[in-house]
Amino acid sequence: MISRRHFSIATGAAALAGFQPARAQSDTPILLGQSAPFSGPAAQLGIQFYEGAKLYLDQYNAQPGHRDVQIKFLDDGYEPERCAANTKRLIDEEAFALFGYIGTPTSLAALPLAVNAKVPFIAPFTGAMALREPFHRNVFHLRASYNDETALIVKQLTHLGLKKIAVFYQNDAYGKAGLDGVTLALAQLDLKPTALATVERNSVDVAAAVKTIAAAKPDAVVQVSAYKSCAAFIREARKAGYGGTFFNVSFVGTQALADELGKDGAGVVVTQVVPSPYNAANAITREFNEAQRKSGGATKANFSSLEGYIAAKVLAEGLRRAPGKATREGLIAGLESIDRQQFGGFEVSFSPRNHVASKFVELSMITGDGRIRT
């Protein structure tokens, strides 16, 4: 397991070393650039996704017959301005592709830079529609959208007869994307959110939000924020006497939220956009677990690390399918040729007009002992 301190040291070393200019030699690694939070309240998401991606790439690179693929990561602390600066640097230093960005506000800051430079932007860890519409030829999404996730949440709640639904959301593009999804799903049932309250990004100041939502006495609260603020809201709401249900979208980071809440996590529901990393009935889970075992078990199994693993696997398949020598255009063409392909039971479909691989969404629940059940 890589700690935040180790990420800081590695990032500093990478900053001193920098990129080598891209060369045609077959032994020159293909370098992916990643800007993500490796420090701050969202750090576990960046760490877990990176570890999962590296787990796959380590075994990929051990196989002969192709160029190695390596990730250069830079810490943005989940702040858009830092992400934009990191992205400019990665592009200037000739990253082959941008990969595994974490979060909506940060990914939105990077998007125009990637589009203008025509650099492939692959598997951002966000379901915001603003990154999907309008369509950009160099942008590829692995995961389902927040609209897909919130539609399932609203369907589940209303099926149980729970129609008084409040929304606690981060006051930025991510939170508003989730709020839009909930509002849209409710509107289709002639319903509206019972109450709304916000928290600032990278903050756990939730007192005002708890007061607002608790006063409305909703049946359930849909949370669209990072794990530390969501955990803070759940603890404070329960202290205030709220006895309803909490639902979260996948970006919260299920394991990070469970770890943050401890026994207070019992009954909290989270949508998932990849199969369970704990269910050996899934072929991709068995493959992931075997890769863990061979690596010595340093990478912990969680939804975020499995998503990173699958994202790297899909990217490698795009490279395999690319015609001729590895080029950015070749990678785009290779990814677009992946049609209804199974990656251990997780189906991925791209085409020249569709760059959203999957609409897979399911529900999971945190138990009182910190486990996650689907």
Side-chain angles (χ1 to χ4, degrees):
M1 179 72 177
I2 299 177
S3 68
R4 296 186 192 183
R5 179 175 179 272
H6 288 149
F7 264 103
S8 298
I9 292 171
T11 303
L16 291 173
F19 270 134
Q20 295 297 320
R23 299 191 298 272
Q25 286 94 326
S26 61
D27 60 345
T28 302
I30 292 172
L31 293 170
L32 308 178
Q34 181 186 27
S35 179
F38 296 107
S39 64
Q44 285 304 312
L45 301 182
I47 292 171
Q48 291 168 3
F49 187 99
Y50 170 84
E51 287 182 337
K54 187 175 184 299
L55 180 66
Y56 177 79
L57 292 177
D58 283 348
Q59 64 180 14
Y60 174 82
N61 292 338
Q63 301 168 7
H66 55 70
R67 288 168 64 184
D68 285 0
V69 180
Q70 298 176 0
I71 301 174
K72 178 186 175 84
F73 61 84
L74 297 175
D75 181 19
D76 60 36
Y78 194 37
E79 291 293 350
E81 296 80 7
R82 290 174 63 183
C83 181
N86 287 349
T87 303
K88 183 178 185 304
R89 175 181 165 188
L90 291 166
I91 292 172
D92 288 346
E93 294 174 339
E94 301 185 35
F96 183 83
L98 303 176
F99 170 79
Y101 276 44
I102 306 294
T104 301
T106 44
S107 295
L108 284 173
L111 181 66
L113 298 171
V115 170
N116 289 340
K118 298 182 179 179
V119 178
F121 189 70
I122 299 169
F125 194 85
T126 167
M129 295 306 296
L131 285 139
R132 298 157 189 248
E133 299 175 354
F135 175 85
H136 296 291
R137 185 168 177 270
N138 64 312
V139 182
F140 291 82
H141 300 275
L142 178 67
R143 54 175 25 232
S145 72
Y146 292 142
N147 283 8
D148 296 324
E149 293 189 60
T150 52
L152 180 59
I153 290 173
V154 170
K155 179 181 179 181
Q156 176 71 8
L157 287 171
T158 54
H159 178 73
L160 296 172
L162 307 176
K163 298 182 179 181
K164 293 181 63 179
I165 301 170
V167 185
F168 166 71
Y169 65 101
Q170 195 163 284
N171 187 26
D172 63 8
Y174 160 50
K176 290 172 184 175
L179 172 63
D180 287 346
V182 176
T183 302
L184 177 64
L186 287 172
Q188 292 173 351
L189 300 171
D190 294 324
L191 298 172
K192 294 181 179 179
T194 298
L196 304 175
T198 65
V199 64
E200 296 304 309
R201 182 176 57 251
N202 284 339
S203 169
V204 292
D205 184 3
V206 299
V210 169
K211 184 176 180 180
T212 296
I213 287 180
K217 298 180 179 179
D219 297 321
V221 180
V222 179
Q223 299 185 290
V224 192
S225 192
Y227 60 88
K228 281 191 177 291
S229 52
C230 287
F233 183 92
I234 291 168
R235 283 193 298 264
E236 293 306 311
R238 285 181 169 158
K239 286 179 184 176
Y242 177 69
T245 307
F246 298 95
F247 278 69
N248 289 260
V249 295
S250 60
F251 179 80
V252 75
T254 314
Q255 191 60 59
L257 180 63
D259 292 345
E260 194 73 20
L261 282 170
K263 59 182 177 57
D264 293 329
V268 174
V269 179
V270 185
T271 49
Q272 306 299 345
V273 294
V274 294
S276 172
Y278 314 111
N279 184 356
N282 300 318
I284 190 63
T285 300
R286 295 195 299 273
E287 177 186 325
F288 179 69
N289 290 340
E290 178 63 12
Q292 283 181 293
R293 185 189 65 78
K294 289 181 177 178
S295 71
T299 301
K300 290 187 176 180
N302 51 65
F303 287 95
S304 302
S305 60
L306 180 58
E307 184 168 345
Y309 184 92
I310 297 172
K313 188 176 176 71
V314 171
L315 184 144
E317 178 64 14
L319 287 171
R320 187 187 70 79
R321 290 167 172 259
K325 294 181 179 180
T327 65
R328 289 169 175 170
E329 280 295 315
L331 174 59
I332 290 171
L335 288 170
E336 287 181 339
S337 74
I338 299 173
D339 180 28
R340 299 184 67 179
Q341 181 169 334
Q342 295 293 325
F343 289 78
F346 182 79
E347 184 172 287
V348 171
S349 286
F350 289 125
S351 76
R353 294 183 177 272
N354 171 43
H355 284 189
V356 178
S358 169
K359 286 186 171 293
F360 175 92
V361 185
E362 67 179 10
L363 298 173
S364 66
M365 181 179 289
I366 301 173
T367 65
D369 58 0
R371 297 180 184 179
I372 300 161
R373 295 179 178 173
T374 56

